[in-house]
Amino acid sequence: MPEMETATFETDLSLFKYDNLEQLPASYRDLDEAERRERTEAALDVLGDDVIILGHNYQRREIVEHADFIGDSYQLSQEAANADAEYVIFGGVTFMAESADIITDDDQTVILPSMEASCPMAGMAEALQVDTAWAELTAETDANIIPITYMNSYADLKAFCAEQGGLVCTSSNAHRAFEWAFDRGDKVLFLPDKHLGENTAHRLGMEDELAEWDPWDPESDAAEAVEKDIILWEGYCQVHERFRTEHIEQVRGEHPDANVVVHPECRREVVEAADVVGSTSTICETIENAEPGETWAIGTEIHLTKHLSRWHPEVNVLPLCGDACMDCNAMRQIDPNYLLWVLEELVEGRERNVINVAEEEKELARVALDRMLEV
Ligand code: 13P
Ligand code: SF4
């Protein structure tokens, strides 16, 4: 498989959550890979234990090769919670870095090398919108609705969920979060990923209890929605929605012995047709545990598929929809040149692109995250 290239610096994202967004200085834009690697390693040597780099599985090769820990969203929040370093450099997207800032101690600083790394799905459930929906839904029922937000959401929504007796989940513990909620309430409002919500309902045998809530549709009927026990917010990930059952049929047609592993952000019918479904760490474990010579088609973000192909050359790793598989535009914003820049600035005693969740949100959002870490 060809190596990923370093992306250009242009971006069409405009979902910046922080106004201290700083752009990369021009002198960092045209570095060749050997110089960048050498300078990155030199800066890390100087910073030593003051810095830890956490990298999500979807980060590009030039980031994960410098990461102290690579993992899924849940594992990264655990690592952030246990980190002693003064600086946590987050190779991931804004909502993950926010969660790290919420979970780490007050004297620790979280840096997101490029603040333009904003997950579009997180932007599909704005706390204000959720407030309005909440008022409409709760007005239609006396039942106790527990809100659960997927980690892929901003801190204000996590705070809202805590305030209303709910919690956060990731793709690896959504089923446990639902069980936690049903132990304490009657219904769940799940935000923002309708596919993860639907897949979790099926896992729990509650597929007949699904209703959808589309915040953009003025016809959304609250009275109808609260007749069911699980209300799904109309949000989705465009990287994962791309996978279709036709891709699975095609891969099995071309490779009759192929196995298929997909992320639970994929559509229901794709998850049903796959052999294995799970978080990015489950996908990694599946390939680690595969026998040499086995063929596995992977339905998730393309950087992870490329890492797995590189890390496990003994396994035949294929992208589930071939060239149509997408990289995550948000994850891609963490460019290795940005990483070098924030590290060299720290060596000089300057902090760049610091993630600072507002105090009033932090306390509550932490409650929702702590509940998740306990389920
Ligand atoms: P994981 O929690 O499985 O790492 O997934 C995060 C994500 O953003 C998937 O799109
Ligand atoms: Fe968000 Fe999808 Fe990217 Fe995950 S892959 S960070 S859900 S846009």
Side-chain angles (χ1 to χ4, degrees), residues 56 58 72-73 152 171 240 263 265 279-280:
H56 187 266
Y58 292 164
D72 70 12
S73 310
N152 302 26
S171 60
H240 289 92
H263 195 276
E265 286 177 18
S279 73
T280 57

Side-chain angles (χ1 to χ4, degrees), residues 49-252:
D49 293 343
D50 290 347
V51 157
I52 184 172
I53 300 181
L54 302 182
H56 187 266
N57 287 318
Y58 292 164
Q59 288 286 290
R60 359 148 142 217
R61 174 184 56 79
E62 308 100 309
I63 301 296
V64 296
E65 72 184 12
H66 294 297
D68 296 289
F69 185 83
I70 308 165
D72 70 12
S73 310
Y74 181 73
Q75 293 169 324
L76 293 178
S77 41
Q78 279 182 318
E79 286 297 317
N82 295 332
D84 293 326
E86 188 179 348
Y87 292 101
V88 176
I89 314 278
F90 213 101
V93 289
T94 319
F95 70 78
M96 296 179 182
E98 277 191 344
S99 300
D101 182 46
I102 292 161
I103 279 175
T104 48
D105 294 340
D106 289 346
D107 57 358
Q108 291 175 295
T109 301
V110 176
I111 289 179
L112 186 65
S114 167
M115 298 274 229
E116 296 176 44
S118 290
C119 162
M121 188 210 280
M124 289 178 190
E126 294 281 348
L128 257 180
Q129 255 180 329
V130 178
D131 253 343
T132 310
W134 186 254
E136 287 182 45
L137 292 166
T138 51
E140 293 294 341
T141 178
D142 292 331
N144 184 12
I145 308 178
I146 307 274
I148 305 177
T149 185
Y150 190 21
M151 180 70 108
N152 302 26
S153 58
Y154 290 111
D156 48 3
L157 183 52
K158 293 183 172 84
F160 170 90
C161 287
E163 207 167 21
Q164 302 300 338
L167 77 167
V168 174
C169 73
T170 70
S171 60
S172 64
N173 58 22
H175 59 291
R176 290 202 299 276
F178 273 57
E179 284 163 356
W180 183 98
F182 283 116
D183 280 348
R184 289 158 179 81
D186 311 307
K187 296 179 189 292
V188 159
L189 170 64
F190 185 70
L191 313 117
D193 184 7
K194 63 178 175 183
H195 296 304
L196 177 61
E198 184 178 359
N199 289 322
T200 306
H202 275 262
R203 180 167 176 172
L204 297 174
M206 296 185 73
E207 60 274 18
D208 295 333
E209 280 305 328
L210 289 170
E212 281 197 18
W213 180 262
D214 182 349
W216 292 274
D217 179 1
E219 309 279 292
S220 278
D221 185 337
E224 201 179 297
V226 296
E227 279 172 21
K228 299 290 187 179
D229 286 348
I230 300 176
I231 305 159
L232 304 176
W233 192 265
E234 170 64 41
Y236 58 90
C237 165
Q238 60 208 7
V239 175
H240 289 92
E241 268 215 335
R242 176 162 287 222
F243 298 106
R244 304 293 180 135
T245 48
E246 295 86 277
H247 297 128
I248 300 187
E249 283 156 22
Q250 190 176 340
V251 107
R252 286 187 177 139

Side-chain angles (χ1 to χ4, degrees), residues 344-362:
E344 289 190 338
E345 287 293 287
L346 281 183
V347 170
E348 295 302 322
R350 291 186 290 268
E351 297 173 354
R352 301 289 188 186
N353 284 341
V354 172
I355 292 283
N356 254 326
V357 176
E359 271 319 308
E360 62 275 17
E361 284 165 19
K362 213 171 190 174

Side-chain angles (χ1 to χ4, degrees), residues 218-364:
E219 309 279 292
S220 278
D221 185 337
E224 201 179 297
V226 296
E227 279 172 21
K228 299 290 187 179
D229 286 348
I230 300 176
I231 305 159
L232 304 176
W233 192 265
E234 170 64 41
Y236 58 90
C237 165
Q238 60 208 7
V239 175
H240 289 92
E241 268 215 335
R242 176 162 287 222
F243 298 106
R244 304 293 180 135
T245 48
E246 295 86 277
H247 297 128
I248 300 187
E249 283 156 22
Q250 190 176 340
V251 107
R252 286 187 177 139
E254 288 166 10
H255 306 267
D257 59 341
N259 304 286
V260 176
V261 55
V262 301
H263 195 276
E265 286 177 18
C266 291
R267 297 164 189 272
R268 178 67 206 148
E269 60 274 20
V270 170
V271 165
E272 251 165 28
D275 299 294
V276 180
V277 56
S279 73
T280 57
S281 64
T282 300
I283 295 173
C284 292
E285 281 159 24
T286 303
I287 304 305
E288 273 159 32
N289 296 330
E291 295 294 330
E294 279 183 12
T295 296
W296 281 88
I298 302 190
T300 196
E301 201 269 350
I302 191 67
H303 283 92
L304 177 54
T305 307
K306 293 193 180 209
H307 296 326
L308 290 168
S309 168
R310 209 172 50 248
W311 294 335
H312 301 286
E314 74 287 1
V315 181
N316 183 24
V317 172
L318 305 171
L320 180 55
C321 60
D323 291 345
C325 284
M326 283 173 74
D327 72 340
C328 168
N329 192 22
M331 289 279 178
R332 179 156 45 85
Q333 302 307 316
I334 307 298
D335 187 281
N337 296 319
Y338 268 101
L339 176 63
L340 173 62
W341 172 56
V342 297
L343 291 172
E344 289 190 338
E345 287 293 287
L346 281 183
V347 170
E348 295 302 322
R350 291 186 290 268
E351 297 173 354
R352 301 289 188 186
N353 284 341
V354 172
I355 292 283
N356 254 326
V357 176
E359 271 319 308
E360 62 275 17
E361 284 165 19
K362 213 171 190 174
E363 216 170 298
L364 273 170

